[in-house]
mmCIF file of all heavy atoms in Angstrom:
data_model
loop_
_atom_site.group_PDB
_atom_site.id
_atom_site.type_symbol
_atom_site.label_atom_id
_atom_site.label_comp_id
_atom_site.label_asym_id
_atom_site.label_seq_id
_atom_site.Cartn_x
_atom_site.Cartn_y
_atom_site.Cartn_z
ATOM 1 N N THR A 346 1.272 16.305 0.576
ATOM 2 C CA THR A 346 2.626 16.774 0.786
ATOM 3 C C THR A 346 2.651 17.678 2.033
ATOM 4 O O THR A 346 1.603 18.113 2.527
ATOM 5 C CB THR A 346 3.127 17.576 -0.399
ATOM 6 O OG1 THR A 346 2.313 18.740 -0.543
ATOM 7 C CG2 THR A 346 3.103 16.789 -1.715
ATOM 8 N N LEU A 347 3.876 18.026 2.463
ATOM 9 C CA LEU A 347 4.015 18.947 3.592
ATOM 10 C C LEU A 347 3.344 20.274 3.297
ATOM 11 O O LEU A 347 2.635 20.860 4.100
ATOM 12 C CB LEU A 347 5.469 19.146 3.952
ATOM 13 C CG LEU A 347 5.746 19.983 5.190
ATOM 14 C CD1 LEU A 347 5.034 19.363 6.445
ATOM 15 C CD2 LEU A 347 7.256 20.133 5.419
ATOM 16 N N ARG A 348 3.605 20.786 2.077
ATOM 17 C CA ARG A 348 2.997 22.083 1.687
ATOM 18 C C ARG A 348 1.484 22.024 1.732
ATOM 19 O O ARG A 348 0.801 22.939 2.210
ATOM 20 C CB ARG A 348 3.445 22.420 0.274
ATOM 21 C CG ARG A 348 2.976 23.749 -0.268
ATOM 22 C CD ARG A 348 3.445 23.895 -1.688
ATOM 23 N NE ARG A 348 4.859 24.216 -1.736
ATOM 24 C CZ ARG A 348 5.360 25.439 -1.986
ATOM 25 N NH1 ARG A 348 4.533 26.427 -2.241
ATOM 26 N NH2 ARG A 348 6.642 25.663 -2.016
ATOM 27 N N GLU A 349 0.918 20.866 1.295
ATOM 28 C CA GLU A 349 -0.530 20.739 1.301
ATOM 29 C C GLU A 349 -1.066 20.652 2.737
ATOM 30 O O GLU A 349 -2.053 21.254 3.045
ATOM 31 C CB GLU A 349 -0.938 19.506 0.483
ATOM 32 C CG GLU A 349 -0.749 19.759 -1.048
ATOM 33 C CD GLU A 349 -0.743 18.482 -1.876
ATOM 34 O OE1 GLU A 349 -0.539 17.343 -1.294
ATOM 35 O OE2 GLU A 349 -0.896 18.586 -3.077
ATOM 36 N N ARG A 350 -0.302 19.935 3.604
ATOM 37 C CA ARG A 350 -0.748 19.913 5.014
ATOM 38 C C ARG A 350 -0.683 21.274 5.628
ATOM 39 O O ARG A 350 -1.622 21.700 6.296
ATOM 40 C CB ARG A 350 0.119 18.938 5.826
ATOM 41 C CG ARG A 350 -0.208 18.937 7.320
ATOM 42 C CD ARG A 350 0.296 17.691 8.054
ATOM 43 N NE ARG A 350 -0.529 16.543 7.782
ATOM 44 C CZ ARG A 350 -1.519 16.103 8.607
ATOM 45 N NH1 ARG A 350 -1.802 16.766 9.710
ATOM 46 N NH2 ARG A 350 -2.220 15.021 8.282
ATOM 47 N N GLU A 351 0.420 22.000 5.368
ATOM 48 C CA GLU A 351 0.532 23.345 5.947
ATOM 49 C C GLU A 351 -0.532 24.289 5.386
ATOM 50 O O GLU A 351 -0.925 25.229 6.026
ATOM 51 C CB GLU A 351 1.931 23.879 5.699
ATOM 52 C CG GLU A 351 2.972 23.146 6.617
ATOM 53 C CD GLU A 351 4.414 23.513 6.276
ATOM 54 O OE1 GLU A 351 4.684 24.137 5.239
ATOM 55 O OE2 GLU A 351 5.284 23.095 7.081
ATOM 56 N N GLY A 352 -0.959 23.981 4.153
ATOM 57 C CA GLY A 352 -2.004 24.802 3.595
ATOM 58 C C GLY A 352 -3.413 24.338 3.983
ATOM 59 O O GLY A 352 -4.404 24.786 3.446
ATOM 60 N N CYS A 353 -3.465 23.397 4.919
ATOM 61 C CA CYS A 353 -4.763 22.911 5.444
ATOM 62 C C CYS A 353 -5.637 22.289 4.382
ATOM 63 O O CYS A 353 -6.868 22.452 4.435
ATOM 64 C CB CYS A 353 -5.493 23.999 6.203
ATOM 65 S SG CYS A 353 -4.547 24.630 7.624
ATOM 66 N N ILE A 354 -5.040 21.641 3.388
ATOM 67 C CA ILE A 354 -5.864 21.010 2.385
ATOM 68 C C ILE A 354 -5.660 19.485 2.341
ATOM 69 O O ILE A 354 -5.927 18.867 1.324
ATOM 70 C CB ILE A 354 -5.636 21.644 0.972
ATOM 71 C CG1 ILE A 354 -4.111 21.581 0.591
ATOM 72 C CG2 ILE A 354 -6.140 23.049 0.902
ATOM 73 C CD1 ILE A 354 -3.881 21.966 -0.882
ATOM 74 N N THR A 355 -5.212 18.897 3.442
ATOM 75 C CA THR A 355 -5.009 17.474 3.484
ATOM 76 C C THR A 355 -6.265 16.735 3.085
ATOM 77 O O THR A 355 -6.213 15.820 2.209
ATOM 78 C CB THR A 355 -4.586 17.029 4.915
ATOM 79 O OG1 THR A 355 -3.311 17.643 5.202
ATOM 80 C CG2 THR A 355 -4.482 15.553 5.040
ATOM 81 N N GLU A 356 -7.389 17.059 3.673
ATOM 82 C CA GLU A 356 -8.604 16.320 3.360
ATOM 83 C C GLU A 356 -9.036 16.516 1.898
ATOM 84 O O GLU A 356 -9.469 15.575 1.249
ATOM 85 C CB GLU A 356 -9.752 16.772 4.338
ATOM 86 C CG GLU A 356 -9.457 16.303 5.745
ATOM 87 C CD GLU A 356 -10.596 16.645 6.711
ATOM 88 O OE1 GLU A 356 -11.552 17.324 6.305
ATOM 89 O OE2 GLU A 356 -10.474 16.227 7.889
ATOM 90 N N ALA A 357 -8.859 17.743 1.397
ATOM 91 C CA ALA A 357 -9.234 17.988 0.023
ATOM 92 C C ALA A 357 -8.364 17.148 -0.925
ATOM 93 O O ALA A 357 -8.867 16.636 -1.920
ATOM 94 C CB ALA A 357 -9.067 19.489 -0.298
ATOM 95 N N VAL A 358 -7.096 17.042 -0.605
ATOM 96 C CA VAL A 358 -6.180 16.284 -1.495
ATOM 97 C C VAL A 358 -6.525 14.788 -1.490
ATOM 98 O O VAL A 358 -6.649 14.153 -2.517
ATOM 99 C CB VAL A 358 -4.696 16.485 -1.041
ATOM 100 C CG1 VAL A 358 -3.751 15.522 -1.761
ATOM 101 C CG2 VAL A 358 -4.270 17.931 -1.299
ATOM 102 N N VAL A 359 -6.678 14.234 -0.298
ATOM 103 C CA VAL A 359 -7.005 12.840 -0.155
ATOM 104 C C VAL A 359 -8.381 12.576 -0.805
ATOM 105 O O VAL A 359 -8.548 11.545 -1.470
ATOM 106 C CB VAL A 359 -6.972 12.455 1.330
ATOM 107 C CG1 VAL A 359 -7.568 11.094 1.561
ATOM 108 C CG2 VAL A 359 -5.542 12.493 1.870
ATOM 109 N N SER A 360 -9.287 13.469 -0.603
ATOM 110 C CA SER A 360 -10.611 13.313 -1.217
ATOM 111 C C SER A 360 -10.519 13.294 -2.725
ATOM 112 O O SER A 360 -11.216 12.460 -3.389
ATOM 113 C CB SER A 360 -11.474 14.514 -0.707
ATOM 114 O OG SER A 360 -12.786 14.291 -0.980
ATOM 115 N N ARG A 361 -9.757 14.199 -3.279
ATOM 116 C CA ARG A 361 -9.619 14.239 -4.754
ATOM 117 C C ARG A 361 -8.999 12.956 -5.260
ATOM 118 O O ARG A 361 -9.434 12.391 -6.284
ATOM 119 C CB ARG A 361 -8.696 15.428 -5.076
ATOM 120 C CG ARG A 361 -8.594 15.811 -6.541
ATOM 121 C CD ARG A 361 -7.330 16.610 -6.814
ATOM 122 N NE ARG A 361 -6.173 15.815 -6.765
ATOM 123 C CZ ARG A 361 -5.004 16.155 -6.229
ATOM 124 N NH1 ARG A 361 -4.841 17.355 -5.712
ATOM 125 N NH2 ARG A 361 -4.003 15.309 -6.186
ATOM 126 N N GLN A 362 -8.007 12.438 -4.563
ATOM 127 C CA GLN A 362 -7.331 11.231 -5.014
ATOM 128 C C GLN A 362 -8.311 10.029 -4.942
ATOM 129 O O GLN A 362 -8.338 9.158 -5.822
ATOM 130 C CB GLN A 362 -6.089 10.956 -4.118
ATOM 131 C CG GLN A 362 -4.986 11.967 -4.372
ATOM 132 C CD GLN A 362 -3.891 11.942 -3.326
ATOM 133 O OE1 GLN A 362 -4.078 11.516 -2.174
ATOM 134 N NE2 GLN A 362 -2.696 12.362 -3.714
ATOM 135 N N MET A 363 -9.140 9.991 -3.907
ATOM 136 C CA MET A 363 -10.117 8.914 -3.762
ATOM 137 C C MET A 363 -11.210 9.093 -4.833
ATOM 138 O O MET A 363 -11.700 8.071 -5.406
ATOM 139 C CB MET A 363 -10.785 8.964 -2.389
ATOM 140 C CG MET A 363 -9.882 8.743 -1.187
ATOM 141 S SD MET A 363 -9.427 7.009 -0.932
ATOM 142 C CE MET A 363 -11.066 6.281 -0.767
ATOM 143 N N ASP A 364 -11.646 10.337 -5.048
ATOM 144 C CA ASP A 364 -12.751 10.566 -5.959
ATOM 145 C C ASP A 364 -12.462 10.077 -7.405
ATOM 146 O O ASP A 364 -13.338 9.631 -8.084
ATOM 147 C CB ASP A 364 -13.101 12.075 -5.981
ATOM 148 C CG ASP A 364 -13.985 12.439 -4.755
ATOM 149 O OD1 ASP A 364 -14.535 11.535 -4.132
ATOM 150 O OD2 ASP A 364 -14.018 13.634 -4.448
ATOM 151 N N ALA A 365 -11.183 10.199 -7.785
ATOM 152 C CA ALA A 365 -10.843 9.813 -9.126
ATOM 153 C C ALA A 365 -11.145 8.284 -9.326
ATOM 154 O O ALA A 365 -11.627 7.878 -10.346
ATOM 155 C CB ALA A 365 -9.380 10.134 -9.414
ATOM 156 N N VAL A 366 -10.813 7.539 -8.298
ATOM 157 C CA VAL A 366 -11.043 6.098 -8.339
ATOM 158 C C VAL A 366 -12.543 5.759 -8.249
ATOM 159 O O VAL A 366 -13.071 4.952 -8.983
ATOM 160 C CB VAL A 366 -10.219 5.371 -7.255
ATOM 161 C CG1 VAL A 366 -10.703 3.910 -7.095
ATOM 162 C CG2 VAL A 366 -8.749 5.474 -7.584
ATOM 163 N N ILE A 367 -13.214 6.472 -7.343
ATOM 164 C CA ILE A 367 -14.653 6.189 -7.156
ATOM 165 C C ILE A 367 -15.444 6.578 -8.424
ATOM 166 O O ILE A 367 -16.350 5.907 -8.873
ATOM 167 C CB ILE A 367 -15.173 6.969 -5.896
ATOM 168 C CG1 ILE A 367 -14.518 6.396 -4.618
ATOM 169 C CG2 ILE A 367 -16.691 6.877 -5.857
ATOM 170 C CD1 ILE A 367 -14.728 7.210 -3.355
ATOM 171 N N ALA A 368 -15.020 7.668 -9.040
ATOM 172 C CA ALA A 368 -15.698 8.119 -10.308
ATOM 173 C C ALA A 368 -15.515 7.057 -11.417
ATOM 174 O O ALA A 368 -16.432 6.778 -12.185
ATOM 175 C CB ALA A 368 -15.140 9.465 -10.759
ATOM 176 N N LYS A 369 -14.342 6.498 -11.495
ATOM 177 C CA LYS A 369 -14.107 5.549 -12.584
ATOM 178 C C LYS A 369 -14.623 4.115 -12.248
ATOM 179 O O LYS A 369 -15.202 3.506 -13.143
ATOM 180 C CB LYS A 369 -12.596 5.416 -12.836
ATOM 181 C CG LYS A 369 -12.240 4.391 -13.909
ATOM 182 C CD LYS A 369 -10.914 4.609 -14.563
ATOM 183 C CE LYS A 369 -10.712 3.595 -15.680
ATOM 184 N NZ LYS A 369 -11.584 3.851 -16.826
ATOM 185 N N CYS A 370 -14.528 3.709 -11.015
ATOM 186 C CA CYS A 370 -14.799 2.310 -10.702
ATOM 187 C C CYS A 370 -16.034 2.108 -9.831
ATOM 188 O O CYS A 370 -16.515 0.978 -9.678
ATOM 189 C CB CYS A 370 -13.598 1.705 -9.963
ATOM 190 S SG CYS A 370 -12.038 1.869 -10.898
ATOM 191 N N GLY A 371 -16.539 3.179 -9.204
ATOM 192 C CA GLY A 371 -17.637 3.055 -8.307
ATOM 193 C C GLY A 371 -17.209 2.699 -6.901
ATOM 194 O O GLY A 371 -16.138 2.125 -6.738
ATOM 195 N N VAL A 372 -17.971 3.109 -5.926
ATOM 196 C CA VAL A 372 -17.557 2.885 -4.532
ATOM 197 C C VAL A 372 -17.486 1.407 -4.195
ATOM 198 O O VAL A 372 -16.689 0.963 -3.391
ATOM 199 C CB VAL A 372 -18.502 3.649 -3.552
ATOM 200 C CG1 VAL A 372 -19.921 3.044 -3.537
ATOM 201 C CG2 VAL A 372 -17.908 3.697 -2.150
ATOM 202 N N ALA A 373 -18.341 0.592 -4.845
ATOM 203 C CA ALA A 373 -18.351 -0.848 -4.559
ATOM 204 C C ALA A 373 -16.994 -1.465 -4.849
ATOM 205 O O ALA A 373 -16.627 -2.521 -4.236
ATOM 206 C CB ALA A 373 -19.440 -1.519 -5.360
ATOM 207 N N ALA A 374 -16.213 -0.881 -5.752
ATOM 208 C CA ALA A 374 -14.884 -1.417 -6.113
ATOM 209 C C ALA A 374 -13.975 -1.397 -4.914
ATOM 210 O O ALA A 374 -13.018 -2.181 -4.823
ATOM 211 C CB ALA A 374 -14.302 -0.658 -7.293
ATOM 212 N N LEU A 375 -14.223 -0.495 -3.995
ATOM 213 C CA LEU A 375 -13.380 -0.380 -2.799
ATOM 214 C C LEU A 375 -13.497 -1.631 -1.909
ATOM 215 O O LEU A 375 -12.671 -1.832 -1.010
ATOM 216 C CB LEU A 375 -13.674 0.910 -1.996
ATOM 217 C CG LEU A 375 -13.261 2.205 -2.719
ATOM 218 C CD1 LEU A 375 -13.724 3.406 -1.902
ATOM 219 C CD2 LEU A 375 -11.746 2.267 -2.945
ATOM 220 N N ALA A 376 -14.532 -2.374 -2.130
ATOM 221 C CA ALA A 376 -14.661 -3.661 -1.319
ATOM 222 C C ALA A 376 -13.636 -4.667 -1.716
ATOM 223 O O ALA A 376 -13.387 -5.618 -0.991
ATOM 224 C CB ALA A 376 -16.065 -4.203 -1.526
ATOM 225 N N ARG A 377 -13.020 -4.465 -2.883
ATOM 226 C CA ARG A 377 -11.949 -5.362 -3.373
ATOM 227 C C ARG A 377 -10.591 -4.642 -3.455
ATOM 228 O O ARG A 377 -9.848 -4.869 -4.394
ATOM 229 C CB ARG A 377 -12.361 -5.967 -4.721
ATOM 230 C CG ARG A 377 -13.547 -6.874 -4.630
ATOM 231 C CD ARG A 377 -14.013 -7.368 -6.053
ATOM 232 N NE ARG A 377 -14.616 -6.280 -6.824
ATOM 233 C CZ ARG A 377 -14.173 -5.861 -7.982
ATOM 234 N NH1 ARG A 377 -13.090 -6.348 -8.519
ATOM 235 N NH2 ARG A 377 -14.800 -4.858 -8.599
ATOM 236 N N ALA A 378 -10.445 -3.713 -2.565
ATOM 237 C CA ALA A 378 -9.218 -2.906 -2.576
ATOM 238 C C ALA A 378 -8.726 -2.572 -1.200
ATOM 239 O O ALA A 378 -9.452 -2.809 -0.220
ATOM 240 C CB ALA A 378 -9.452 -1.604 -3.352
#
Side-chain angles (χ1 to χ4, degrees):
T346 63
L347 184 58
R348 181 183 286 254
E349 289 163 341
R350 174 160 286 263
E351 287 172 349
C353 299
I354 56 169
T355 295
E356 291 183 355
V358 169
V359 168
S360 192
R361 190 200 73 220
Q362 293 168 332
M363 297 283 303
D364 280 342
V366 168
I367 294 169
K369 178 158 184 69
C370 305
V372 69
L375 291 175
R377 293 176 288 120

